[in-house]
């Protein structure tokens, strides 16, 4: 035991936990980053700002049933199990055994047959002098934290995608309405042109032009209907619903949701540094870096010996009734040391590989930070420009409607030819369609902003 104590003391002096101690990297934001710094956190459930119960239901279904979210949750469960196993490696192991048999042996000149029974309990406890188990537990704990952030990251992306696809579906419905309403007006113009031609006040060219406009507008309707179905199927996949159930839920034509009111101070985005702390994907990358750094310590621990306390308590007897008597007992207690003295560089190469993986994790974290800043800047810029575009196109659509009305009045009064009416109605259809797309762009731009800000998500209950 004195030798064992001396060995333990020498190991403690040799160097505690192996490998580098982790320090979280610090991200710096350049001065030309122009993200607004309005105080406050982004809303937790931003989609509720659109005041649409069906959208709320679709997002709720996606948070529960979406494949990406469920996969992230399964990875989290795996990492928690790995952490439990790593923590258990720091504890002693106890192996229980029992047996029974018959033995024959020559005693003098006589062959003697004996029955015997046995029971034993052996334990082994590796003393973590060099931090192998501690570093493994650190790495596993960091992977659990990365898994938790991974669930949040999956929810962020899925929630934003559901909202984006839902807005696209409502926009397609409105574009279909615009096309159908334009078709009604164009057919009325077609009727008037044909009537004037029959009275000798129009030309076959006017009739052909009116027919062509009606046919071209009708041709847009099947494409819009196909796009509606594709978008509904996409929403079904995202929310875990069947395609038929999604089509049924979305069958009613509804207008695009209104753009939520944004305070005069701007969107609640906080500072760039708060953004970096809030984004779950950055948290995933940082925790994976922590896990990779701790794994270096696990690899470096192989440079040192493994020291374990070992013990055995056993009982052997020829009769079951006497098995646990004092005379049947045997046991030992001691220490074991194992050390690979000749490994031909295997340990050094494993250490080099773990250090390379940590370097990869650092580069991945740096790239994630850069992409987060890029995404946020782009989303804010796109949202601002799309709102401005929608305002201009609203004016254009209003003026186009007035121009089409005047052109029709002048044509019926004989003050203008049908080509003027034709151009005005084409311009009106294009302006109304562009307005709907711009309104969708504004709404989708706001969703992209909230996705980029990455805040307010919570693990599902």
């Amino acid at each position: 035991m004195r030798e064992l104590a001396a060995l333990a003391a020498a190991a403690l002096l040799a160097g505690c936990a192996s490998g580098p101690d982790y320090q979280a990297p610090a991200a710096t934001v350049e001065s030309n980053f122009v993200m607004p710094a309005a105080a406050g956190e982004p809303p937790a459930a931003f989609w509720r700002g659109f005041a649409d119960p069906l959208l709320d239901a679709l997002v709720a279904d996606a948070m529960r049933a979406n494949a990406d979210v469920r996969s992230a949750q399964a990875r989290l469960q795996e990492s928690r199990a790995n952490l439990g196993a790593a923590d258990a490696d720091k504890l002693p192991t106890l192996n229980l055994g029992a047996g029974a048999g018959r033995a024959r042996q020559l005693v003098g000149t006589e062959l003697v047959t004996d029955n015997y029974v046995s029971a034993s309990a052996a334990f082994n406890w590796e003393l973590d002098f060099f931090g192998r188990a501690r570093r493994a537990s650190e790495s596993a704990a960091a992977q659990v934290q990365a898994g938790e952030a991974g669930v949040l990251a999956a929810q962020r992306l899925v929630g934003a995608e559901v909202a984006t696809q839902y807005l696209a579906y409502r926009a397609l419905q409105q574009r279909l309405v615009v096309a159908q309403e334009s078709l009604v007006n164009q057919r009325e113009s077609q009727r008037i042109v044909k009537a004037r031609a029959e009275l000798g006040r129009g030309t076959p060219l006017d009739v052909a032009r009116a027919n062509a406009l009606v046919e071209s507008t009708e041709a847009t309707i099947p494409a819009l209907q196909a796009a509606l179905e594709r978008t509904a199927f996409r929403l079904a996949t995202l929310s875990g619903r069947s395609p038929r159930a999604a089509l049924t839920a979305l069958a009613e034509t509804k207008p695009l949701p209104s753009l939520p009111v944004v305070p005069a101070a701007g969107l609640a985005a906080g500072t760039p540094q708060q953004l970096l702390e809030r984004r779950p994907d950055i948290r995933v990358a940082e925790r994976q870096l922590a896990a990779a750094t701790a794994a270096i310590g696990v690899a470096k621990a192989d440079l040192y010996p493994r020291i374990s306390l070992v013990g055995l308590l056993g009982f052997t007897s020829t009769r079951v009734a006497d098995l646990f008597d004092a005379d049947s007992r045997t046991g030992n207690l001691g220490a074991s040391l194992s050390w690979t003295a000749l490994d031909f560089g295997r340990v050094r190469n494993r250490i080099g590989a773990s250090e390379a993986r940590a370097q990869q994790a650092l580069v991945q974290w740096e790239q994630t930070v850069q992409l987060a800043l890029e995404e946020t800047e782009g989303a804010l810029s796109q949202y601002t420009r799309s709102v401005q575009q929608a305002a201009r196109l609203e004016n254009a659509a209003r003026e186009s409607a007035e121009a089409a009305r005047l052109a029709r009045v002048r044509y019926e009064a004989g003050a203008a030819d049908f080509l003027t009416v034709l151009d005005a109605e084409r311009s009106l259809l294009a302006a109304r369609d562009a307005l709907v797309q711009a309104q969708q762009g504004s709404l989708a731009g706001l969703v992209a902003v909230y996705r980029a800000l990455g805040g307010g998500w919570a693990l599902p209950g």
Side-chain angles (χ1 to χ4, degrees):
M1 295 301 294
R2 286 196 299 270
E3 288 81 357
L4 179 61
L7 184 61
L12 286 171
L13 292 174
C16 299
S18 59
D21 291 328
Y22 177 71
Q23 291 184 343
T28 57
V29 182
E30 297 181 0
S31 58
N32 61 352
F33 187 76
V34 296
M35 173 182 160
E41 288 288 314
F46 69 85
W47 58 88
R48 291 179 182 163
F50 296 122
D52 192 313
L54 180 55
L55 174 57
D56 295 345
L58 288 169
V59 173
D61 287 348
M63 293 301 176
R64 181 181 61 256
N66 180 265
D68 290 336
V69 173
R70 289 190 290 117
S71 179
Q73 290 169 337
R75 287 193 296 271
L76 174 58
Q77 293 173 353
E78 178 189 3
S79 63
R80 285 173 173 165
N82 289 335
L83 174 58
D87 286 341
D89 285 342
K90 295 186 286 186
L91 302 174
T93 60
L94 180 65
N95 295 316
L96 302 177
R102 180 187 296 268
R104 290 184 177 183
Q105 58 181 337
L106 188 63
V107 179
T109 60
E110 184 180 357
L111 186 62
V112 179
T113 301
D114 290 324
N115 296 324
Y116 71 91
V117 290
S118 65
S120 64
F123 82 92
N124 183 296
W125 186 11
E126 182 178 343
L127 304 177
D128 195 29
F129 289 131
F130 302 103
R132 179 199 317 277
R134 180 152 65 86
R135 291 302 194 197
S137 182
E138 286 179 11
S139 180
Q143 289 289 7
V144 169
Q145 293 164 344
E148 291 171 345
V151 173
L152 301 182
Q155 290 177 321
R156 177 178 72 96
L157 295 178
V158 168
E161 181 66 10
V162 169
T164 300
Q165 293 297 325
Y166 181 80
L167 294 171
Y169 187 89
R170 292 307 182 201
L172 285 166
Q173 281 187 326
Q174 291 306 304
R175 292 178 64 191
L176 184 60
V177 168
V178 167
Q180 291 169 339
E181 290 177 351
S182 297
L183 190 58
V184 170
N185 292 334
Q186 291 166 11
R187 282 174 174 162
E188 176 61 19
S189 297
Q190 181 188 46
R191 185 192 65 78
I192 294 173
V193 168
K194 287 181 177 179
R196 288 172 62 88
E198 291 172 358
L199 296 174
R201 298 172 58 189
T203 67
L205 179 58
D206 290 342
V207 174
R209 285 171 171 169
N211 293 339
L213 180 59
V214 169
E215 292 294 334
S216 63
T217 301
E218 285 182 333
T220 65
I221 291 176
L224 290 172
Q225 291 170 332
L228 273 169
E229 291 176 353
R230 288 196 306 271
T231 306
F233 297 154
R234 178 61 182 152
L235 281 168
T237 300
L238 288 168
S239 61
R241 299 188 179 197
S242 69
R244 183 57 51 192
L247 285 172
T248 301
L250 293 163
E252 183 182 356
T253 298
K254 292 184 178 181
L256 273 166
S258 300
L259 196 66
V261 177
V262 176
L267 293 169
T271 65
Q273 193 61 41
Q274 290 172 334
L275 165 69
L276 299 181
E277 294 171 356
R278 188 192 306 127
R279 291 259 308 208
D281 54 340
I282 295 178
R283 175 68 172 169
V284 170
E286 187 273 329
R287 287 291 83 197
Q288 289 176 341
L289 174 59
T293 303
I296 296 174
V298 177
K300 283 191 172 182
D302 286 338
L303 293 172
Y304 307 104
R306 294 191 176 193
I307 303 169
S308 301
L309 290 177
V310 295
L312 174 68
L313 177 62
F315 299 88
T316 303
S317 175
T318 58
R319 298 175 58 222
V320 175
D322 300 332
L323 179 60
F324 295 105
D325 289 351
D327 293 339
S328 302
R329 184 174 60 197
T330 182
N332 61 67
L333 176 66
S336 70
L337 182 148
S338 64
W339 196 352
T340 305
L342 187 65
D343 72 348
F344 299 101
R346 292 185 183 89
V347 173
R348 295 290 182 185
N349 282 302
R350 286 197 294 267
I351 293 171
S354 64
E355 290 174 339
R357 285 191 290 270
Q359 183 62 32
Q360 294 171 39
L362 176 60
V363 173
Q364 182 63 42
W365 175 83
E366 292 172 346
Q367 183 182 40
T368 304
V369 170
Q370 292 171 350
L371 291 175
L373 296 175
E374 173 191 337
E375 180 186 0
T376 304
E377 284 277 38
L380 287 165
S381 175
Q382 179 64 31
Y383 169 66
T384 302
R385 304 303 181 215
S386 62
V387 170
Q388 295 172 350
Q389 180 189 32
R392 297 291 185 272
L393 286 173
E394 187 174 1
N395 294 333
R398 185 168 52 252
E399 296 298 330
S400 294
E402 179 63 13
R405 186 189 68 81
L406 293 175
R408 196 175 296 111
V409 170
R410 287 173 56 82
Y411 173 72
E412 291 174 358
D417 60 13
F418 184 69
L419 183 59
T420 302
V421 177
L422 188 69
D423 289 341
E425 291 187 345
R426 282 174 177 166
S427 296
L428 176 58
L429 174 59
R432 292 184 65 191
D433 188 73
L435 174 59
V436 173
Q437 294 186 64
Q439 291 170 335
Q440 176 200 350
S442 300
L443 295 166
L446 183 60
V447 172
V449 168
Y450 285 131
R451 181 184 62 200
L453 296 177
W457 302 95
L459 285 168

